[in-house]
């Protein structure tokens, strides 16, 4: 490490032409500044760099550019396709949802209809039964009334007969039928 | 010799070529330029050859580089700047791979030579100038006259702007070059301590633990610097190109 400054100094003044010329071993010249090599260096640089430039320009760069272009196009195309597919999928989902909604409303309507029909049916049956029952009730009531009046009439006759019989037993003679009836009637009222 | 931190920047001729008195030899530097270019091209080419819609790991590295530079350029220079994309991408990849290759032991670092980074910087500034004048004509000179400056200050501001513009290739190239050079020298110096201390016996070996740890840490730092300098080079290129595209600030 301690030798570093010395060597560094040997190296760095080499950067400005005049000082270092005596350092190099051959020809007394620092090689990078030796003008006798300049023509050869320039010539071969021109040849090699020129060919390199032409080769890159004509062959390599169009090819790499083409590869990148194709890839960019392909990616763009794939993205477009993906977008297209996505919109198709969205449309399918929308259609499915619409159908589902339609089916639901149809099902509701059918259900409602069935419910209404059943209700109307039940109502009609109930009304029929009720009407039948009412009729039977009315019939029964009229029959009861008829039986009652008939029974009442019987009661009158029985009472008259009984009265007549009682009167006959008591007074020993035939009682006047009309007066007995009037008496019974008066008693019953 | 092996401990000389400058040795790694030495240029050796592999195939001597001389034309018109100038030395155009194929050197180790040239070889690593070729290696950088071939490795990068091969990597980018092979990893993307399957053109996978879903990228493999390696393919996504190439794609990341592409998108990294593209977003950098778009952020700095707008969508009009994309016409310079191949240029900026080549610069970024070249500098990045050259920097990273240079971190391997015994490998030569292309970007540790000022002439290479300066040539790249001049290429950038040259592109800015040529395109700027082509596109805007003399309107490009508006670059040097910021809007909303009081009349008296205009000459001074213009002078400053011109100096700052001229210093751009210098700062652009020296920044990259100096970072690479200094980093590699530091690395070599610390690694040299490990070797020379170890030669001193048991105490030396114990003492060499510290520089060894430093060497490891600096290696990690240098990988960061290798990326960072390539990034900075590319970002500044983008900003200078933005000046060429929109000179009116």
């Amino acid at each position: 490490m301690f030798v570093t400054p010395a060597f560094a100094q040997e190296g760095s003044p080499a950067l400005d032409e005049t000082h270092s010329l005596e350092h190099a071993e051959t020809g007394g010249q620092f090689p990078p500044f030796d003008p006798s090599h300049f023509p050869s260096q320039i010539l071969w640089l021109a040849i090699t760099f020129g060919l390199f430039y032409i080769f890159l320009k004509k062959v390599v760069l169009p090819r790499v550019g083409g590869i990148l272009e194709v890839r960019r196009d392909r990616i763009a195309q794939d993205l477009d396709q993906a977008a297209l597919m996505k919109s198709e999928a969205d449309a399918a989902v929308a259609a499915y949802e619409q159908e589902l909604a339609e089916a639901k409303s149809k099902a509701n309507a059918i259900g409602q209809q069935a419910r209404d029909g059943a209700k109307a049916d039940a109502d009609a049956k109930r009304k029929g039964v009720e009407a039948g029952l009412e009729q039977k009730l009315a019939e029964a009531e009229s029959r009861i009334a008829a039986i009652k009046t008939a029974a009442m009439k019987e009661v009158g006759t029985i009472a008259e007969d009984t009265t007549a019989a009682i009167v006959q037993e008591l007074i020993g003679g035939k009682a006047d039928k009309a007066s007995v009836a009037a008496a019974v009637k008066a008693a019953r009222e | 010799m092996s401990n000389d931190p400058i040795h790694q920047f030495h240029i050796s001729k592999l195939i001597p070529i001389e034309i018109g008195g100038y030395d155009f030899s194929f050197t180790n530097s040239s070889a690593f330029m070729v290696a950088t270019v071939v490795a990068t091209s091969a990597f980018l080419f092979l990893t993307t050859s399957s053109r996978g819609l879903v990228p493999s790991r390696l393919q996504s590295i190439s794609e990341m580089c592409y998108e990294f530079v593209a977003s950098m350029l778009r952020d700095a220079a707008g969508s009009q700047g994309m016409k310079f994309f191949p240029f900026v991408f080549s610069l970024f990849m070249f500098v990045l791979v050259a920097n990273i290759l240079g971190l391997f032991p015994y490998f030569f670092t292309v970007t540790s030579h000022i002439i290479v980074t300066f040539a790249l910087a001049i290429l950038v500034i040259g592109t800015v100038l040529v395109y700027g004048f082509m596109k805007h004509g003399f309107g490009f000179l508006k670059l040097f006259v910021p809007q909303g400056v009081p009349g008296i200050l205009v000459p001074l501001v213009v002078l400053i702007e011109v100096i700052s513009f001229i210093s751009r290739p210098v700062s652009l190239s020296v920044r990259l070059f100096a970072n690479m050079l200094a980093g590699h020298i530091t690395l070599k110096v610390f690694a040299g301590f490990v070797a020379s201390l170890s030669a001193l016996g048991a105490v030396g070996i114990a003492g060499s633990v510290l520089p060894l740890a430093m060497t490891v840490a600096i290696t990690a730092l240098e990988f960061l610097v290798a990326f960072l300098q390539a990034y900075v080079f590319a970002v500044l290129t983008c900003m200078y190109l933005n000046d060429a595209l929109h000179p009116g600030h």
Side-chain angles (χ1 to χ4, degrees):
Chain A
M1 286 296 272
F2 54 91
V3 206
T4 318
F7 271 94
Q9 270 172 0
E10 201 170 318
S12 57
L15 304 186
D16 48 48
E17 284 174 67
T18 46
H19 295 285
S20 64
L21 296 183
E22 58 277 0
H23 273 297
E25 76 281 14
T26 44
Q29 284 245 334
F30 182 59
F33 294 130
D34 184 355
S36 67
H37 298 307
F38 285 2
S40 145
Q41 300 263 60
I42 291 171
L43 175 74
W44 288 103
L45 179 68
I47 293 172
T48 51
F49 188 76
L51 290 176
F52 186 54
Y53 174 77
I54 291 166
F55 181 71
L56 288 191
K57 189 177 180 179
K58 298 285 175 208
V59 181
V60 170
L61 294 179
R63 181 193 275 187
V64 179
I67 291 171
L68 295 175
E69 191 74 20
V70 165
R71 184 174 308 147
R72 205 169 297 132
D73 287 356
R74 177 68 188 272
I75 287 170
Q77 197 185 323
D78 284 2
L79 283 178
D80 285 355
Q81 205 169 346
L84 193 72
M85 280 177 167
K86 189 175 180 297
S87 67
E88 270 173 19
D90 285 352
V93 166
Y96 161 77
E97 263 167 13
Q98 198 186 341
E99 248 166 59
L100 191 67
E102 268 171 25
K104 261 185 191 164
S105 65
K106 208 182 275 180
N108 276 344
I110 289 171
Q112 192 63 41
Q113 209 177 335
R115 218 166 20 243
D116 287 354
K119 203 176 168 194
D121 231 28
D123 277 359
K125 266 187 194 159
R126 190 160 50 84
K127 268 180 193 154
V129 170
E130 271 173 8
L133 284 176
E134 229 144 87
Q135 201 187 342
K136 273 184 188 164
L137 199 66
E139 268 172 23
E141 267 170 7
S142 68
R143 225 166 58 212
I144 287 167
I147 289 170
K148 201 179 171 184
T149 49
M152 281 306 181
K153 213 187 255 176
E154 295 280 287
V155 167
T157 325
I158 290 168
E160 276 168 26
D161 286 351
T162 313
T163 312
I166 291 168
V167 168
Q168 201 171 350
E169 278 298 310
L170 288 178
I171 56 176
K174 267 236 188 191
D176 182 22
K177 212 174 178 180
S179 58
V180 170
V184 167
K185 204 171 180 188
R188 281 176 66 188
E189 267 162 24
Chain B
M1 176 71 171
S2 65
N3 261 349
D4 178 9
I6 305 301
H7 178 71
Q8 58 184 322
F9 306 112
H10 187 68
I11 287 184
S12 53
K13 292 177 196 174
L14 301 180
I15 305 167
I17 303 169
E18 200 173 315
I19 304 168
Y22 289 105
D23 178 22
F24 289 116
S25 303
F26 188 81
T27 61
N28 55 347
S29 173
S30 319
F32 275 94
M33 287 175 195
V34 172
T36 301
V37 165
V38 169
T40 315
S41 304
F43 180 84
L44 292 173
F45 185 74
L46 295 176
T47 55
T48 56
S49 59
S50 64
R51 295 164 192 263
L53 190 64
V54 178
S56 63
R57 288 179 192 188
L58 293 177
Q59 186 185 327
S60 57
I61 292 176
S62 294
E63 287 173 7
M64 268 162 61
C65 295
Y66 183 100
E67 291 190 318
F68 179 68
V69 178
S71 69
M72 187 200 301
L73 183 58
R74 203 176 291 116
D75 288 349
S79 53
Q80 284 171 291
M82 291 314 281
K83 61 166 74 81
F84 292 111
F85 178 63
F87 178 57
V88 178
F89 187 78
S90 313
L91 269 179
F92 175 72
M93 291 310 288
F94 185 84
V95 174
L96 177 69
V97 176
N99 288 353
I100 286 176
L101 270 185
L103 284 169
F104 288 91
Y106 298 106
F107 279 24
F108 181 85
T109 314
V110 174
T111 44
S112 68
H113 277 244
I114 182 79
I115 187 65
V116 174
T117 60
F118 191 70
L120 290 175
I122 286 292
L123 185 62
V124 171
I125 299 300
T127 307
V128 169
L129 282 175
V130 169
Y131 183 80
F133 279 114
M134 251 171 54
K135 179 105 186 286
H136 304 285
F138 284 103
F140 181 60
L141 294 175
K142 272 191 295 188
L143 177 64
F144 302 114
V145 191
Q147 280 165 353
V149 176
I152 315 162
L153 287 176
V154 166
L156 184 66
V157 171
V158 168
L159 185 69
I160 292 171
E161 288 282 334
V162 169
I163 292 172
S164 106
F165 189 85
I166 290 170
S167 63
R168 275 175 183 182
V170 178
S171 68
L172 192 58
S173 56
V174 168
R175 182 181 299 110
L176 175 58
F177 154 73
N179 268 287
M180 287 301 114
L181 185 82
H184 280 78
I185 289 176
T186 317
L187 206 52
K188 185 77 187 225
V189 165
F190 276 103
F193 285 158
V194 180
S196 47
L197 278 174
S198 309
L200 297 177
V203 181
I205 289 173
S208 68
V209 170
L210 203 58
L212 181 63
M214 282 299 284
T215 310
V216 173
I218 290 173
T219 307
L221 179 73
E222 282 308 304
F223 271 100
L224 177 70
V225 169
F227 167 75
L228 212 60
Q229 287 307 316
Y231 174 68
V232 167
F233 199 94
V235 162
L236 287 174
T237 303
C238 292
M239 287 164 70
Y240 298 161
L241 288 170
N242 183 44
D243 282 347
L245 288 158
H246 316 105
H249 283 275

